[in-house]
Amino acid sequence: MSGELLLVGSIPLDTPEDVFRTFGKPLGKYLFAMPDGEVGPRRHWISRVHYQVLAAHPELEVVQHPAPDENGVERQHPRNAADAWWFRVRDGFDRVRFGDPGWRLGYARDAINSYFVFRTMKEKGVLSSHLRFQVSIPMVNSVLPPRIFPNQKDIEKVRPGYEAATRAEIAKIVEKIPPTSLRSSGIARPRSRTPTGPLRDIRLKGQSNAI
């Protein structure tokens, strides 16, 4: 019976434990894998990367940020596409790179922390023993859409570095979480290159091989 349902990841509760108890416990027997729900800042999907990663990069300049709320207080996530973060590459930089490989984007850190909760709840019998831990990461082209760069030439200065950072995050997840416990979902190949090394067994969107 397991494997009949797939949760794509977007469950906007407050904590991974909330997600696992609310959905993992009753739906566990129908699932092959359980996501942590994209909680906290990740509930805002790609805008979380915009304000936590891109806005802090010294080689990028913020052109527009979301308008404040009705009380004049800052908003980190936009109301709509027109209210989104916009960026430009600062003069003098032809290639934007991201440091601290494996940790810079925050996906590996969140996955490792959520996996601890997942493993503990499996040990306590809250989650079904057959479940794997599901990790969902947006595609590079989703995080860096053309609309957030007024100068379209800036896109190609940023995407290769962000692709490398994404690959490093995936490799760190594979390194830190036991392969027998892990399943990836929604991780699409940045551009169209074939993964190598520790990434070759990760299930990519539209493919059947899985860890």
Side-chain angles (χ1 to χ4, degrees), residues 68-83:
D69 66 16
E70 58 278 6
N71 297 313
V73 179
E74 65 163 351
R75 286 175 57 94
Q76 298 285 0
H77 52 279
R79 298 170 178 80
N80 50 53
D83 191 44

Side-chain angles (χ1 to χ4, degrees), residues 107-193:
Y107 290 109
R109 179 189 63 244
D110 287 353
I112 293 166
N113 290 339
S114 293
Y115 174 69
F116 176 80
V117 180
F118 173 82
R119 185 185 65 191
T120 300
M121 296 183 76
K122 282 184 69 175
E123 292 171 351
K124 292 181 176 180
V126 177
L127 295 176
S128 300
S129 60
H130 74 276
L131 285 174
R132 291 194 178 194
F133 179 64
Q134 179 177 314
V135 177
S136 302
I137 300 178
M139 294 185 296
V140 173
N141 290 352
S142 295
V143 176
L144 303 174
R147 62 179 172 78
I148 71 169
F149 294 98
N151 183 350
Q152 297 295 286
K153 293 182 179 179
D154 284 344
I155 298 174
E156 293 308 315
K157 296 179 181 180
V158 181
R159 279 184 176 170
Y162 189 85
E163 176 181 336
T166 300
R167 288 175 174 272
E169 297 275 327
I170 298 172
K172 184 63 68 176
I173 291 169
V174 172
E175 173 192 340
K176 297 297 184 180
I177 298 178
T180 54
S181 299
L182 185 64
R183 182 182 191 272
S184 64
S185 176
I187 301 179
R189 188 164 39 228
R191 314 175 131 220
S192 59
R193 300 174 188 172

Side-chain angles (χ1 to χ4, degrees), residues 8-21:
V8 297
S10 301
I11 305 172
L13 299 184
D14 289 335
T15 68
E17 182 177 357
D18 292 337
V19 174
F20 296 147
R21 289 191 184 278

